[in-house]
């Protein structure tokens, strides 16, 4: 594939900066990789002894422009990720850039909005990463040949906004695609028998989770800490900075705690109730969810949409609480091993994990929403916990620490194994449906390009008009 990633041993800071800067918002599916590759009639490249071209506009898509240097930056981004560019022509790279520009242009026509607060959050994330890599923001500014940090931020925010618009447009197209059981059936029927996909070995896994009990004193320490942070913000400190420094939410902390949400956004009820009870500029009192304790500050309210920042802090679990949790889960395991209770029944009555308790502890694969886990694609931590288990064997108590630092004990068992096999419609319906949906999404995106290109002002200049693009950018 065009952007295949390999491992690089060393990357200089210029390479890192360009890698950070480009292509942060990939499509939900990489249509340009899956559908077709650009076919070149005449490669566009400098000949031996030919002078370096002066950078300039080589294409327009609506109000957007593509510079010749944008193609060079594209090559550098791929190299920075460890990919090979030897088989990628400048025409192919231009084709990808034109796609991105058309996505962004149409997003504006469709009234897709990317807020300034959202861009600022993304910029903070990117700049923090760049500075971590090179050590000095002035190196970032100098590399992009800007005269000041503010000039660079203005330039950078425009690029980030364009990339986010393209991402949202792609998501809008893909999310609108639905597929019926009849379409899935027809998709499967048209695959020749000797070309049916092969699915790797899989397993179904169940678990029982016991959470250590947190003392009232430990909870109060967290509440007091959040109240102190809240007081500092009310007195003029930056909520976003506090979130970066103290929040334990990995999904939002790098962006200053930023989230954009509606009442349909899949957040826990307690969080949404507080978020939608606040006015612009208000900061909540500390409140509890299953993840820990939060405070929320609302940045902006747009109709049914709220832009907010939050800080999450979880109480520290004491050694005594961990010891008690281990004893409790050991007793549960002994009952299962002694046939006093089944694993599924123990999960329903004893597990502290609400997401799996009702279905006997069975885990759902977050990538497929199925109960099967393909061994070659399984999360490495989960794989290490189940790889040596025999059928119906119960693991010893496992101390687990999640990405927020929360500690729990759990028992794991394998409830079913599926050997590697050729696709079977009845047994593999979920996977076949996923493949059929992806094909329909790709076809939809291809048709979208064909339609929008006809309705959009597009101009390609110079020798790039010799490229024979798959999409009709030249409107011949």
């Amino acid at each position: 594939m065009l952007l295949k990633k390999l491992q690089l041993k060393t990357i200089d800071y210029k390479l890192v900066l360009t890698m950070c800067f480009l292509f942060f918002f990939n499509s939900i599916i990489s249509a340009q990789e899956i559908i077709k590759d650009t076919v070149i009639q005449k490669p566009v490249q400098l000949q031996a002894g030919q002078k370096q071209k002066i950078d300039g506009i080589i294409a327009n898509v609506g109000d957007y422009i593509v510079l010749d240097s944008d193609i060079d930056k594209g090559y550098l981004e791929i190299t920075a990720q460890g990919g090979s560019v030897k088989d990628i022509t400048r025409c192919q790279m231009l084709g990808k850039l034109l796609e991105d520009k058309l996505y962004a242009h149409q997003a504006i026509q469709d009234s897709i909005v990317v807020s300034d607060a959202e861009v600022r959050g993304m910029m903070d994330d990117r700049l923090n990463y760049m500075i971590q890599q090179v050590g000095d923001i002035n190196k970032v500014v100098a590399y992009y040949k800007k005269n000041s940090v503010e000039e660079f931020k203005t330039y950078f925010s425009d690029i980030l906004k364009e990339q986010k618009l393209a991402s949202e447009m792609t998501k809008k197209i893909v999310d609108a695609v639905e597929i019926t059981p009849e379409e899935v059936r027809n998709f499967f029927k048209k695959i020749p028998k000797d070309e049916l996909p092969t699915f790797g070995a899989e397993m179904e896994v169940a678990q029982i989770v016991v959470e250590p009990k947190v003392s009232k004193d430990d909870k109060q320490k967290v509440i007091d800490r959040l109240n102190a942070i809240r007081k500092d913000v009310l007195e003029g400190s930056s909520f976003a900075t506090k979130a970066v420094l103290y929040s334990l939410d990995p999904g939002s902390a790098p962006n200053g705690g930023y989230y954009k949400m509606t009442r349909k956004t899949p957040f826990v009820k307690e969080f949404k109730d507080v978020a939608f009870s606040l006015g612009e500029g208000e900061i909540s009192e500390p409140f509890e969810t299953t993840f820990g304790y939060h405070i929320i500050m609302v940045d902006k309210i747009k109709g049914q949409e709220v832009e907010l920042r939050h800080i999450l802090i979880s109480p520290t679990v004491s050694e005594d609480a961990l010891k008690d949790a281990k004893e409790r889960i050991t007793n549960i395991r002994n009952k299962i091993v002694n046939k006093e209770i089944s694993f599924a029944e123990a999960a329903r009555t004893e597990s502290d994990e609400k997401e799996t308790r009702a279905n006997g502890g069975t885990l759902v694969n977050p990538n497929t929403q199925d109960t099967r886990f393909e061994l070659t694609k399984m999360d490495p931590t989960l794989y290490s916990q189940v790889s040596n288990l025999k059928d119906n064997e119960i693991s010893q108590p496992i101390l687990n620490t999640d990405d927020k630092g929360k500690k729990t004990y759990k028992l794991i068992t394998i409830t079913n194994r599926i050997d590697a096999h050729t696709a079977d419609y009845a047994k593999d319906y979920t996977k076949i449906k996923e493949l059929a949906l992806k094909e329909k999404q790709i076809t939809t995106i291809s048709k979208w390009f064909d339609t929008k290109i006809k309705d959009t002002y597009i101009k390609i200049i110079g020798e790039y008009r010799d490229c024979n693009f798959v999409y009709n950018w030249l409107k011949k």
Side-chain angles (χ1 to χ4, degrees):
M1 293 199 309
L2 191 61
L3 302 180
K4 183 178 180 182
K5 297 182 180 179
L6 302 172
Q7 185 67 35
L8 279 184
K9 292 184 178 179
T10 59
I11 302 177
D12 64 36
Y13 85 85
K14 291 184 179 180
L15 209 58
V16 169
L17 292 177
T18 303
M19 177 181 67
C20 297
F21 188 76
L22 293 170
F23 304 120
F24 269 102
F25 299 99
N26 292 323
S27 299
I28 300 301
I29 55 174
S30 299
Q32 67 278 3
E33 294 178 23
I34 300 173
I35 303 173
K36 330 161 188 176
D37 283 332
T38 308
V39 179
I40 308 304
Q41 286 182 332
K42 177 182 176 183
V44 180
Q45 56 186 0
L46 295 178
Q47 303 298 322
Q50 185 178 346
K51 292 183 179 180
Q52 179 70 37
K53 293 181 295 184
I54 297 174
D55 189 27
I57 296 173
I58 59 171
N60 295 75
V61 178
D63 293 330
Y64 289 99
I65 63 171
V66 180
L67 300 176
D68 203 40
S69 60
D70 292 336
I71 294 179
D72 298 319
K73 290 175 183 176
Y75 281 123
L76 191 55
E77 192 271 342
I78 294 171
T79 304
Q81 294 190 42
S84 172
V85 298
K86 67 177 183 178
D87 296 323
I88 303 173
T89 68
R90 296 183 74 81
C91 285
Q92 286 175 313
M93 189 64 71
L94 175 58
K96 170 64 170 65
L97 293 171
L98 292 173
E99 290 177 21
D100 292 341
K101 301 297 182 185
L102 185 56
Y103 279 133
H105 169 77
Q106 192 60 42
I108 294 174
Q109 308 308 306
D110 289 4
S111 300
I112 293 175
V113 176
V114 176
S115 70
D116 292 340
E118 192 171 1
V119 173
R120 285 196 300 271
M122 293 185 292
M123 184 184 297
D124 290 343
D125 185 19
R126 308 300 185 257
L127 285 180
N128 287 339
Y129 179 75
M130 290 181 184
I131 294 168
Q132 286 175 7
Q133 299 301 310
V134 305
D136 185 356
I137 193 171
N138 291 316
K139 289 183 179 179
V140 180
V141 174
Y143 178 64
Y144 287 101
K145 299 178 182 179
K146 301 303 174 184
N147 295 321
S148 66
V149 173
E150 287 307 312
E151 183 183 349
F152 170 73
K153 285 186 174 181
T154 299
Y155 166 72
F156 195 17
S157 66
D158 289 341
I159 299 299
L160 287 173
K161 187 169 186 177
E162 179 185 323
Q163 292 175 335
K164 184 61 174 175
L165 283 168
S167 174
E168 291 298 316
M169 188 68 247
T170 310
K171 185 175 185 298
K172 179 180 178 181
I173 299 167
V174 170
D175 287 352
V177 180
E178 297 180 346
I179 195 160
T180 66
E182 184 64 24
E183 288 175 310
V184 178
R185 187 179 298 107
N186 290 335
F187 168 81
F188 185 75
K189 283 181 178 179
K190 74 180 182 181
I191 303 175
K193 288 188 177 181
D194 59 348
E195 295 180 17
L196 286 170
T198 299
F199 297 127
E202 298 172 307
M203 61 174 60
E204 293 179 316
V205 180
Q207 68 181 23
I208 295 171
V209 177
V210 169
E211 297 180 2
K213 303 301 181 185
V214 179
S215 69
K216 290 183 179 179
D217 288 343
D218 289 332
K219 290 182 179 180
Q220 190 59 48
K221 288 178 183 177
V222 171
I223 294 171
D224 292 343
R225 188 179 179 192
L226 285 171
N227 275 324
I229 292 172
R230 182 177 185 273
K231 182 173 181 291
D232 287 345
V233 174
L234 290 172
E235 293 176 353
S237 295
S238 166
F239 193 103
T241 300
K242 296 286 188 182
V244 171
L245 292 173
Y246 303 118
S247 181
L248 298 180
D249 178 11
S252 68
N255 294 327
Y258 177 86
Y259 278 123
K260 179 170 67 175
M261 60 183 290
T262 68
R263 290 191 180 274
K264 294 183 179 179
T265 304
F267 282 64
V268 293
K269 181 180 183 298
E270 298 89 344
F271 191 95
K272 287 198 287 188
D273 286 346
V274 173
F276 287 99
S277 70
L278 300 172
E280 287 189 1
E282 280 192 87
I283 305 175
S284 74
E285 300 286 343
F287 65 95
E288 186 178 11
T289 71
T290 55
F291 299 100
Y293 287 86
H294 313 249
I295 52 174
I296 291 175
M297 182 180 76
V298 170
D299 279 347
K300 189 175 293 186
I301 299 174
K302 297 180 181 178
Q304 299 299 312
E305 185 177 81
V306 173
E307 293 182 13
L308 58 82
R309 297 182 186 275
H310 90 119
I311 295 172
L312 166 68
I313 301 178
S314 301
T316 302
V317 176
S318 68
E319 288 300 320
D320 286 343
L322 280 172
K323 182 180 178 181
D324 291 343
K326 186 175 182 180
E327 287 181 1
R328 180 184 160 199
I329 203 165
T330 299
N331 289 334
I332 294 171
R333 183 180 186 277
N334 290 338
K335 290 180 181 179
I336 298 170
V337 171
N338 293 332
K339 310 295 184 184
E340 297 176 31
I341 191 173
S342 69
F343 191 100
E345 186 59 30
R348 282 189 281 267
T349 59
E350 302 286 351
S351 182
D352 292 329
E353 187 175 61
K354 290 191 293 185
E355 294 81 2
T356 60
R357 191 165 56 203
N359 59 353
T362 301
L363 292 178
V364 174
N365 188 329
N367 298 318
T368 63
Q369 300 306 309
D370 190 8
T371 57
R372 296 182 182 183
F373 291 81
E374 190 169 342
L375 269 59
T376 58
K377 299 178 181 179
M378 186 178 284
D379 176 80
T381 300
L382 179 60
Y383 179 79
S384 67
Q385 293 169 347
V386 301
S387 58
N388 294 322
L389 287 179
K390 299 175 183 177
D391 290 346
N392 298 316
E393 181 182 2
I394 313 299
S395 72
Q396 294 295 326
I398 299 169
L399 178 60
N400 187 70
T401 304
D402 67 14
D403 56 4
K404 298 180 182 65
K406 182 178 180 179
K407 294 183 177 180
T408 56
Y409 274 101
K410 64 181 181 180
L411 302 174
I412 293 182
T413 188
I414 298 172
T415 58
N416 189 25
R417 294 182 191 269
I418 302 97
D419 294 332
H421 62 283
T422 300
D424 178 276
Y425 184 77
K427 295 179 181 178
D428 302 303
Y429 178 81
T430 301
K431 288 185 176 62
I432 294 165
K433 179 182 178 181
E434 182 182 349
L435 293 174
L437 177 61
K438 183 166 289 188
E439 182 188 65
K440 188 174 181 180
Q441 289 170 337
I442 291 168
T443 301
T444 300
I445 287 178
S446 182
K447 290 179 180 178
W448 183 89
F449 272 109
D450 290 340
T451 300
K452 298 304 178 184
I453 286 172
K454 293 177 183 177
D455 299 334
T456 306
Y457 170 72
I458 297 168
K459 184 177 181 181
I460 298 174
I461 299 169
E463 66 263 49
Y464 291 100
R465 293 186 62 83
D466 292 332
C467 297
N468 183 21
F469 300 107
V470 168
Y471 293 124
N472 189 24
W473 297 111
L474 297 170
K475 299 188 178 183
K476 292 181 178 179

